[in-house]
Amino acid sequence: RMARLSATLNKASNGRLPQWTPAMPQPLKPIAFGPASHDARPRVVYLAACVSRVMGPAYADREQSSLLDKTRALLEKAGYQVIFPDNADSLCCGQPFASKGYPEQAEHKRQELINALLHASRGGLDPIYCDTSPCTLRLVQDLGETRLDLYDPVRFIRTHLVERLEFHPQDEPVAVHVTCSTQHLGESQALIDLARRCSKQVVIPEGIHCCGFAGDKGFTTPELNAHSLRTLKDAVQYCSEGISTSRTCEIGLSSHSGIDYHGLVYLVDRVTRARSI
């Protein structure tokens, strides 16, 4: 009923009121970023994107762990000490400002984040894991002489975690959505390869290169998202879930597919156990 009502209001207001869907995330409780425990484990700086800090799973999603908790658990399973930047709740790559036409404010937030990451990574000594591919793409552009070893989920898992984890692929089929930012980062095939490590059946829907959610456009211009994903439901009808690397994209994908889409780490965590090193 809520979905029908919000669709009517969205249309009646000429798009001024955003559209609600059953895939809408639940709000996350404030996150407690504890102090680092200095030990012999290798360090990784975990940059939790704004959307990861505020957007929890949908109410009806079978996965009720937040992306942040799931990511931290996977990194620790692989033997890493997880470090968070200082004042993590106030950090942002600036993408929301840039997309709304505020380039100066966007660059200010980006530089503020880069400085925080430099400090947290001991001047670029430690790798930095960003859990959302659009944020990673924005950060790696125009770094110049700045020494930051930045990774999106796909690149970090294939580079650092594969050798630390034992994979036991599941039988249930999985759908893969390669986000626009993953394509720009050059990690498209790597995402598909990781999915094939995790599941014996991987579905890559043909003809869908962009989900059309476009940040928050899926709320305010839902027709764009609906048109981009008009063939998705038929393509993934036999899949148990879908995976991606952007929380906002996953809202639209879940809405138009009939299955739940999650971050890649959910699948990797489910089918792996720590390898003895």
Side-chain angles (χ1 to χ4, degrees):
R1 291 195 296 269
M2 181 68 175
R4 289 195 297 269
L5 176 62
S6 69
T8 301
L9 293 174
N10 175 265
K11 187 175 292 186
S13 66
N14 199 25
R16 287 191 294 273
L17 290 175
Q19 182 167 323
W20 183 93
T21 78
M24 184 74 73
Q26 299 176 94
L28 283 180
K29 296 178 181 178
I31 299 163
F33 296 100
S37 56
H38 302 287
D39 53 43
R41 292 176 297 170
R43 291 166 41 118
V44 58
V45 177
Y46 179 12
L47 169 59
C50 303
V51 292
S52 308
R53 301 196 303 266
V54 299
M55 291 185 176
Y59 177 77
D61 197 326
R62 67 176 183 177
E63 292 278 8
Q64 286 298 307
S65 296
S66 70
L67 176 62
L68 191 146
D69 287 339
K70 188 64 70 173
T71 301
R72 178 162 47 185
L74 178 64
L75 293 172
E76 290 177 345
K77 180 200 293 187
Y80 277 90
Q81 178 187 173
V82 179
I83 308 295
F84 291 98
D86 293 337
N87 303 312
D89 273 338
S90 66
L91 298 176
C92 173
C93 71
Q95 181 63 36
F97 298 95
S99 65
K100 297 300 181 185
Y102 298 100
E104 292 182 11
Q105 291 85 346
E107 186 58 24
H108 171 75
K109 293 302 293 182
R110 180 175 179 270
Q111 288 300 324
E112 181 182 56
L113 175 55
I114 287 173
N115 291 336
L117 293 175
L118 277 169
H119 177 72
S121 65
R122 301 181 291 180
L125 181 63
D126 303 314
I128 300 165
Y129 177 103
C130 180
D131 62 13
T132 303
S133 54
C135 302
T136 313
L137 179 63
R138 176 170 171 78
L139 284 171
V140 299
Q141 293 173 331
D142 303 319
L143 274 177
E145 299 299 318
T146 305
R147 288 186 55 203
L148 284 180
D149 195 15
L150 273 162
Y151 295 82
D152 74 319
V154 178
R155 182 168 169 251
F156 190 86
I157 292 171
R158 71 171 175 82
T159 304
H160 294 289
L161 299 194
V162 166
E163 63 184 16
R164 292 174 167 267
L165 299 170
E166 292 182 7
F167 285 75
H168 301 275
Q170 65 181 33
D171 294 322
E172 294 81 3
V174 170
V176 175
H177 176 73
V178 182
T179 66
C180 302
S181 50
T182 302
Q183 296 172 44
H184 288 302
L185 288 165
E187 296 293 333
S188 302
Q189 188 58 49
L191 173 58
I192 296 168
D193 292 342
L194 282 174
R196 287 174 174 156
R197 276 183 174 267
C198 298
S199 174
K200 297 176 183 177
Q201 301 179 70
V202 173
V203 175
I204 305 156
E206 293 184 8
I208 299 176
H209 306 290
C210 173
C211 72
F213 207 89
D216 62 354
K217 292 290 193 298
F219 299 128
T220 57
T221 315
E223 298 85 358
L224 178 64
N225 187 224
H227 182 75
S228 297
L229 300 180
R230 63 194 182 278
T231 62
L232 179 62
K233 191 168 187 176
D234 288 340
V236 302
Q237 59 181 308
Y238 300 112
C239 296
S240 60
E241 70 174 323
I243 60 166
S244 185
T245 54
S246 171
R247 184 67 187 92
T248 51
C249 296
E250 289 151 21
I251 299 171
L253 291 161
S254 298
S255 296
H256 294 286
S257 65
I259 62 175
D260 295 324
Y261 272 76
H262 307 114
L264 170 65
V265 294
Y266 285 84
L267 178 62
V268 173
D269 183 62
R270 187 187 313 131
V271 303
T272 59
R273 62 187 181 198
R275 186 192 298 273
S276 299
I277 298 177

